[in-house]
Amino acid sequence: MRHLISLLLLCSLVQFASAQSLDEYLVKAAENNPELKAYYNEYLAASEIGNQVSLPDPELQVGVFFRPMERFMGNQQADIRLMQMFPWFGMLKAQESEADQMALARYQLFLDAKNNLFYQFKTSWYALAELEQEIRIAEENLEILRKYERMALIRFESAATSSSSPSSTPMASSPSASFSTGSGGVNTMGNQTQGMFSQAKSSAMASPAAMGSTGPGMTDVLRIRLQINTLENDLELLNANKLPLQVELNKLMNSPREAQISTPEPLISFAMNLEKQAILDSITTNNPMLAMYDAELLALESQKRMAKLDGRPMFGAGVNYMPFQARIEDGMSMGGNDMIMPMVTMTLPIYRKKTTAKIKEAELRQEAVRFKKGNTLNQLEIGWSKAIRDLEDANRKVALYESQLDLANQNLSLLLTAYATNGQDFEEVLRAQQLILDYEFSKIGAITRQYTSLAMLDMLSATGVQPYSN
């Protein structure tokens, strides 16, 4: 646990560019989300129940005689009684304890709703960040494919010129035509090839029929145009997928669906050495649902104590006031003195079946809550194990895709060189470029799974774990 705390302190020192913006949105969601407001108001309502615990209201009875009742002390005008009942010692304290624990349980439900809201918001935010990176990479690859198209058109036109003019020299024989592949999968070409690109720019989008030829070079052009059309369609789909995520984020913050959402910064892979048992211990200590069940158990314990005390007598103390009016007898005033009589009362709880049933009810409810807590603990441990598995798998996938990208870029560079030399294996060039695109998408997806897995652990443990970069 000490190692985990030190790790959290270290993580708090390292900030991502997107973290501050994400934190601001999380605060806004916590302040405005309707569901979270509902849970909080339910907690506030439950916290007022404790203020309602008090002695029973005193009872006042007033009886007025329409005709004064003749008594020895005079004519009685009315009968006024005031009585205050007092429960058995400890009853009010037990009621306050039960109300406080139930309010605490409602507060833990509010915290659990907040954690679920944050997790939902984070996953949508990370999905939007992943989508933005996929759009950027798709646009870069689309530009690369268009360069390949111009390159294929140059080769096609060079081959056509060579067939009509034997003295011409095809591009394939030019030793100065060279290709190189950058680290990001974006290809750069030699000076002579760049010059040929500019010469063929006007004919890059010409149709095969307009060229009047269906030679092997045009097959390469058609093949790459098929990939361009497919990638353009995929790019439109990626852009269309942004709207549902933006609407979801806005609605989680209770904002208008068309409100502007700032573009998330690219997700960066991170390394994190977490002690699995320490995380599990943090979950069992800090998860709000477990704390809610603990509060319910304490509340039911108070209810059981209340049931026992309810089987004890209640005492009452009061006063009976009877006003008298003097009565004239034989010309003399008789009586007229008011009477005040102290009174004491006590309930007799002789029907024990009711008390026994209340105690049994509280005990059975406690047992049910214990079973619910045990099941929740099992589910949390299952969620912990899956999140750890997903995080470790994402870490392995990120390392794998980075290695695969390096090899794929080297392979593409060799294929481009071979194509520039002999004009063969252009289909392999396109296949290698598509493989790089797939690996880049897979790497982004793996990084996103890193963040979502960490967000899941954060939700389960409610510790605010944050990643740090390599």
Side-chain angles (χ1 to χ4, degrees):
M1 182 63 67
R2 182 179 302 174
H3 177 78
L4 179 61
I5 295 174
S6 300
L7 179 61
L8 296 179
L9 292 176
L10 175 63
C11 294
S12 64
L13 297 177
V14 183
Q15 299 293 332
F16 286 96
S18 62
Q20 183 178 1
S21 178
L22 176 58
D23 287 343
E24 291 175 354
Y25 281 128
L26 290 176
V27 171
K28 186 175 180 181
E31 292 176 347
N32 301 319
N33 184 266
E35 182 183 20
L36 201 58
K37 284 185 175 181
Y39 276 104
Y40 188 70
N41 279 276
E42 287 178 354
Y43 155 67
L44 293 178
S47 63
E48 293 296 327
I49 297 178
N51 298 328
Q52 302 173 21
V53 176
S54 63
L55 291 172
D57 293 332
E59 296 182 6
L60 176 63
Q61 296 181 0
V62 179
V64 179
F65 299 104
F66 291 106
R67 294 181 59 185
M69 180 179 291
E70 295 183 359
R71 292 180 179 273
F72 177 77
M73 298 181 63
N75 295 332
Q76 184 178 354
Q77 304 293 320
D79 188 6
I80 303 174
R81 296 183 180 183
L82 179 64
M83 180 65 65
Q84 173 66 63
M85 299 299 296
F86 297 92
W88 192 265
F89 305 103
M91 175 63 80
L92 295 180
K93 185 176 181 181
Q95 291 176 346
E96 290 178 355
S97 177
E98 190 263 349
D100 291 342
Q101 294 302 325
M102 291 304 296
L104 179 59
R106 300 303 305 183
Y107 182 71
Q108 296 301 331
L109 275 179
F110 160 73
L111 292 181
D112 183 68
K114 178 183 70 91
N115 291 338
N116 281 279
L117 172 65
F118 283 4
Y119 173 72
Q120 185 179 358
F121 194 95
K122 287 178 181 178
T123 53
S124 299
W125 178 266
Y126 296 148
L128 182 60
E130 177 185 6
L131 195 60
E132 293 287 353
Q133 288 178 270
E134 288 178 345
I135 291 174
R136 175 183 57 81
I137 291 175
E139 290 174 345
E140 292 176 356
N141 278 268
L142 185 60
E143 184 62 29
I144 292 173
L145 290 178
R146 286 171 177 156
K147 288 182 179 180
Y148 288 171
E149 181 190 21
R150 294 194 294 270
M151 181 175 67
L153 284 169
I154 292 172
R155 175 167 292 281
F156 172 76
E157 291 180 350
S158 298
T161 304
S162 176
S163 61
S164 61
S165 177
S167 62
S168 62
T169 302
M171 185 189 79
S173 63
S174 175
S176 61
S178 60
F179 304 89
S180 61
T181 304
S183 60
V186 181
N187 301 309
T188 58
M189 301 185 178
N191 295 332
Q192 181 175 350
T193 305
Q194 292 289 352
M196 291 181 179
F197 281 171
S198 60
Q199 293 173 7
K201 183 176 182 181
S202 59
S203 60
M205 299 308 296
S207 65
M211 294 179 184
S213 176
T214 58
M218 182 50 60
T219 302
D220 294 339
V221 175
L222 295 176
R223 187 179 292 116
I224 197 170
R225 284 181 179 175
L226 287 173
Q227 284 203 3
I228 288 176
N229 291 339
T230 301
L231 189 55
E232 286 177 342
N233 181 74
D234 293 342
L235 190 58
E236 290 180 1
L237 177 61
L238 291 174
N239 281 288
N241 288 338
K242 290 171 59 177
L243 179 61
L245 290 173
Q246 291 174 343
V247 171
E248 181 179 1
L249 291 171
N250 278 321
K251 288 306 172 182
L252 289 176
M253 296 184 293
N254 200 29
S255 300
R257 65 176 181 272
E258 65 275 4
Q260 184 67 30
I261 296 290
S262 63
T263 302
E265 294 292 331
L267 299 179
I268 305 173
S269 62
F270 60 86
M272 202 166 201
N273 297 321
L274 293 179
E275 294 182 3
K276 300 178 183 179
Q277 188 60 43
I279 297 177
L280 184 58
D281 293 340
S282 177
I283 291 174
T284 57
T285 302
N286 301 313
N287 187 268
M289 290 302 295
L290 298 178
M292 182 200 71
Y293 289 128
D294 290 337
E296 286 189 355
L297 286 173
L298 293 176
L300 288 170
E301 187 65 30
S302 297
Q303 287 184 11
K304 187 165 64 174
R305 188 164 62 252
M306 289 163 52
K308 293 179 180 179
L309 295 175
D310 196 37
R312 305 287 180 86
M314 289 184 62
F315 297 96
V319 63
N320 190 3
Y321 173 69
M322 292 174 285
F324 286 88
Q325 185 180 31
R327 184 174 67 252
I328 304 298
E329 289 186 2
D330 299 331
M332 299 180 60
S333 177
M334 301 292 294
N337 295 324
D338 296 341
M339 185 178 71
I340 299 177
M341 180 176 64
M343 298 179 63
V344 177
T345 185
M346 181 179 68
T347 62
L348 299 176
I350 60 175
Y351 303 108
R352 307 303 300 172
K353 184 178 180 180
K354 177 178 67 174
T355 301
T356 304
K358 286 184 178 180
I359 296 174
K360 187 65 175 179
E361 177 189 2
E363 291 175 347
L364 291 174
R365 289 186 182 275
Q366 280 184 316
E367 193 69 16
V369 170
R370 291 190 185 97
F371 284 130
K372 288 181 180 180
K373 181 181 178 182
N375 180 69
T376 301
L377 187 59
N378 291 337
Q379 295 300 320
L380 290 174
E381 191 165 347
I382 292 173
W384 161 81
S385 63
K386 290 182 177 180
I388 291 293
R389 177 205 62 190
D390 293 344
L391 180 58
E392 292 177 343
D393 180 65
N395 292 338
R396 289 191 298 266
K397 290 292 179 61
V398 169
L400 171 65
Y401 294 138
E402 287 178 347
S403 175
Q404 297 292 76
L405 275 171
D406 290 338
L407 296 176
N409 281 319
Q410 294 177 25
N411 179 52
L412 178 61
S413 179
L414 294 175
L415 290 172
L416 285 171
T417 302
Y419 179 72
T421 302
N422 53 34
Q424 297 179 355
D425 297 331
F426 188 71
E427 185 175 359
E428 293 297 325
V429 172
L430 296 181
R431 187 178 292 111
Q433 185 64 45
Q434 181 62 39
L435 186 62
I436 289 177
L437 179 62
D438 293 340
Y439 280 141
E440 287 177 334
F441 281 178
S442 297
K443 178 184 175 182
I444 294 172
I447 293 175
T448 304
R449 286 193 295 275
Q450 282 184 315
Y451 281 81
T452 54
S453 300
L454 198 64
M456 172 61 72
L457 292 174
D458 185 10
M459 181 189 69
L460 295 177
S461 61
T463 55
V465 179
Q466 295 292 334
Y468 59 93
S469 60
N470 292 321

